[in-house]
Amino acid sequence: MTVAANEDIRKELENDHNVKTIALDCNGYPRGELMSKKKFISSLVSGFGLSRALYGKDTADMGYPSDSPEKNSASDVIMKPDTASLYRLSWEDGIPTLFLDAYDPLTYNYMPLCPRGLLKKTEKRFTSQLNATAISGCELEFQQFNETAHSLAAKDGAGLSGLHPSSLWSCVMRQNLNKEFYYGVVNACRKTGVELECWKVESGPSVLEGVIGCNNVLKLADDASMFKIICKSVGAENGIIPCFMAKPQNSAPGNSSHFHISIVSNNTGENLFARESPDPDPEWPEISHLSDFGRHFLAGILDGLTDVMPLLAPNINSYKRLHEKYYAPISINWGVEHRMASVRVICPPTTSSKNTRLEIRVPGADAVAHYALSAIMALGQRGVEKKIPLTIRPMKGDETSLSPEFKRLPKTLFEATVKFSEKGSIARELFGDEFVDLYARTRFHEVEKWNESVTNWDVNRYMEAV
């Protein structure tokens, strides 16, 4: 941290007494503590210790396998606040809140599973090698339920009461049914420092969509994480549980997290996906407005998509969303303005050249934004550097993903994690063995817990019949 940044944060906190700090674990769950301003200021240079258990807990707050190097232990990791990540939580009297980065106390490298650390490393490599900056926005869908933590536990997750009984896409009157929550989120985002670009009722019962404004990838990922915190905090005040599961209900659309990305040259400020003039002889007319850089970036994403799926769809439930019936991608494909594709290309003539971008439609709302953007950027960079050709044809018109010529995405977390962790995988090439081995163990742990579980589905289907 520079001396100037240190002085700036001291000045910002001049009238504060306490600071809240947040570290994201490998499931994107915000963990941290409230500390005195004195302790916070003392941590700016050297950081402070926090239990290594931060990366040893699963989504149920149980420990990961005993062979994991991140298993709960007596040793601490070093946490350093990122002063550029300052937010003020309006529903907590404007308390200053910052994200933390986790460092290994022996090597002082980022802890392997630290989501912000992975994205910072990926962004640094991307910027230095391509002399360009990635800009991203996010469309985040989620459902709301008239429940509390206690009622959710009492009902064992079944028979939950949604905010709305049916789907009314973009209905403005639905916004008034729970306006304390609806406008509470809007006001909290504005006061806290998250740009909520658009906020509306989406398709599906009780579904809302928040569009997080475009920014550099780290700020966007932080904003997406803070948006979830805002929704859950404002929801709790109104007897509402916002649900960011990828697929909360049968026979209804799932919740997605669509990431838009464009790349800007650090020399000229131009969008590197755009062409100055249409290609007179493209392999397909759909890419006539997409630059060679953009084609390689797109090809890189498609080439490595199956290898990084656990970073885009990290949970058992994630794969229940990936069903074509509900406008979710199921195959490796792309198309211009095609909402059934894994990657939607947005370019002229439907938008201006400067707004040319890719929309990655695979991630669900349960994806950790920092991991997902790391995967997208790294795959795109690999495509550009290796000049990977675009060999997959575009999807046409009302064509679906069921065509046998499109390779199928993994259907389960187990299948995805096997591909992710296999020897020589693209994930290992991009992120190294240490990260892949550690993260794969956490995903195989989820699979094992699922395999051990007896659910209502099992009982209802088999108890009387067999």
Side-chain angles (χ1 to χ4, degrees):
M1 177 185 297
T2 66
V3 173
N6 196 327
E7 290 303 315
D8 286 346
I9 195 66
R10 287 172 181 267
K11 184 176 181 180
E12 173 67 31
L13 302 178
E14 186 175 2
N15 297 318
D16 295 291
H17 301 288
N18 298 98
V19 179
K20 178 175 283 191
T21 57
I22 297 175
L24 299 173
D25 69 13
C26 64
N27 295 296
Y29 195 78
R31 302 179 186 268
E33 57 188 35
L34 183 71
M35 60 177 63
S36 68
K37 182 171 70 174
K38 180 180 179 181
K39 178 181 178 181
F40 174 81
I41 294 297
S42 71
S43 74
L44 289 175
V45 176
S46 301
F48 64 94
L50 193 65
S51 172
R52 192 178 291 261
L54 172 71
Y55 297 110
K57 298 286 189 178
D58 66 11
T59 53
D61 218 38
M62 303 299 291
Y64 281 123
S66 59
D67 63 342
S68 170
E70 303 296 359
K71 178 67 179 174
N72 306 355
S73 70
S75 65
D76 283 352
V77 297
I78 301 299
M79 290 292 181
K80 290 192 67 176
D82 184 344
T83 57
S85 70
L86 176 66
Y87 297 87
R88 286 189 174 272
L89 308 189
S90 62
W91 64 95
E92 294 186 28
D93 299 322
I95 188 167
T97 302
L98 298 93
F99 283 107
L100 299 169
D101 295 328
Y103 296 85
D104 186 298
L106 298 179
T107 66
Y108 218 67
N109 295 324
Y110 289 116
M111 291 295 292
L113 292 179
C114 175
R116 296 186 89 249
L118 186 70
L119 183 54
K120 282 188 171 184
K121 289 188 293 184
T122 302
E123 185 181 27
K124 181 179 180 180
R125 183 170 62 246
F126 186 95
T127 302
S128 64
Q129 295 182 7
L130 296 184
N131 194 26
T133 299
I135 304 297
S136 183
C138 178
E139 303 169 7
L140 193 55
E141 299 169 349
F142 61 103
Q143 289 181 256
Q144 291 78 206
F145 294 90
N146 284 312
E147 304 288 350
T148 66
H150 291 290
S151 69
L152 179 64
K155 294 180 178 181
D156 198 23
L160 304 181
S161 174
L163 253 64
H164 308 137
S166 61
S167 175
L168 276 177
W169 176 75
S170 284
C171 175
V172 294
M173 293 177 291
R174 280 278 170 92
Q175 301 166 4
N176 293 319
L177 294 180
N178 300 90
K179 62 182 180 181
E180 290 80 9
F181 169 70
Y182 190 86
Y183 287 102
V185 170
V186 172
N187 293 330
C189 285
R190 174 174 52 83
K191 295 175 182 178
T192 300
V194 173
E195 184 185 355
L196 186 58
E197 190 174 86
C198 181
W199 181 228
K200 67 175 184 177
V201 175
E202 248 297 345
S203 179
S206 306
V207 179
L208 293 176
E209 179 186 71
V211 179
I212 313 301
C214 291
N215 218 311
N216 67 72
V217 289
L218 181 62
K219 172 61 174 168
L220 184 280
D222 286 349
D223 280 355
S225 300
M226 183 57 68
F227 177 71
K228 290 184 177 181
I229 293 172
I230 289 172
C231 290
K232 292 181 179 183
S233 299
V234 176
E237 293 180 344
N238 289 276
I240 292 170
I241 291 185
C243 175
F244 292 91
M245 285 175 60
K247 183 72 170 177
Q249 294 178 309
N250 292 326
S251 303
N255 297 324
S256 66
S257 181
H258 297 158
F259 289 96
H260 292 242
I261 190 165
S262 59
I263 309 300
V264 176
S265 168
N266 287 343
N267 287 334
T268 66
E270 295 178 348
N271 185 339
L272 294 178
F273 286 167
R275 297 191 85 89
E276 291 185 5
S277 58
D279 185 344
D281 189 30
E283 185 167 0
W284 303 287
E286 287 85 350
I287 58 173
S288 60
H289 291 276
L290 190 63
S291 69
D292 290 349
F293 181 101
R295 295 175 191 181
H296 292 313
F297 196 98
L298 171 59
I301 292 175
L302 297 174
D303 184 59
L305 196 55
T306 57
D307 288 54
V308 299
M309 278 295 290
L311 300 178
L312 309 179
N315 300 308
I316 294 290
N317 180 259
S318 307
Y319 296 82
K320 298 180 181 183
R321 167 184 160 263
L322 299 178
H323 193 293
E324 188 179 66
K325 181 180 179 181
Y326 300 112
Y327 286 92
I330 63 170
S331 302
I332 301 173
N333 45 39
W334 67 279
V336 172
E337 293 293 0
H338 206 300
R339 285 178 165 82
M340 297 296 287
S342 291
V343 183
R344 171 185 168 217
V345 177
I346 305 168
C347 64
T350 58
T351 191
S352 65
S353 180
K354 69 178 181 180
N355 288 328
T356 301
R357 61 193 186 275
L358 305 180
E359 179 191 23
I360 317 305
R361 296 178 59 82
V362 175
D366 58 342
V368 181
H370 300 78
Y371 283 162
L373 284 168
S374 294
I376 292 166
M377 289 176 64
L379 288 177
Q381 179 178 348
R382 179 176 178 270
V384 171
E385 292 180 341
K386 292 181 177 290
K387 290 184 166 42
I388 296 175
L390 185 59
T391 58
I392 298 174
R393 67 164 178 83
M395 295 181 70
K396 308 284 187 179
D398 294 330
E399 183 181 18
T400 71
S401 294
L402 297 175
S403 172
E405 66 181 292
F406 296 135
K407 184 180 177 182
R408 186 69 161 82
L409 292 171
K411 294 183 179 182
T412 66
L413 180 60
F414 177 75
E415 180 185 348
T417 307
V418 168
K419 179 67 174 174
F420 173 78
S421 60
E422 70 183 8
K423 183 178 180 180
S425 72
I426 294 174
R428 291 188 181 279
E429 176 188 336
L430 298 177
F431 301 116
D433 291 336
E434 184 179 28
F435 170 77
V436 169
D437 288 339
L438 285 172
Y439 189 67
R441 289 177 192 174
T442 70
R443 297 311 96 186
F444 282 131
H445 170 80
E446 288 292 303
V447 173
E448 184 63 26
K449 290 301 178 184
W450 167 249
N451 289 340
E452 293 173 355
S453 298
V454 178
T455 68
N456 289 338
W457 186 91
D458 295 288
V459 174
N460 291 334
R461 192 168 183 88
Y462 300 121
M463 179 173 282
E464 184 180 3
V466 299

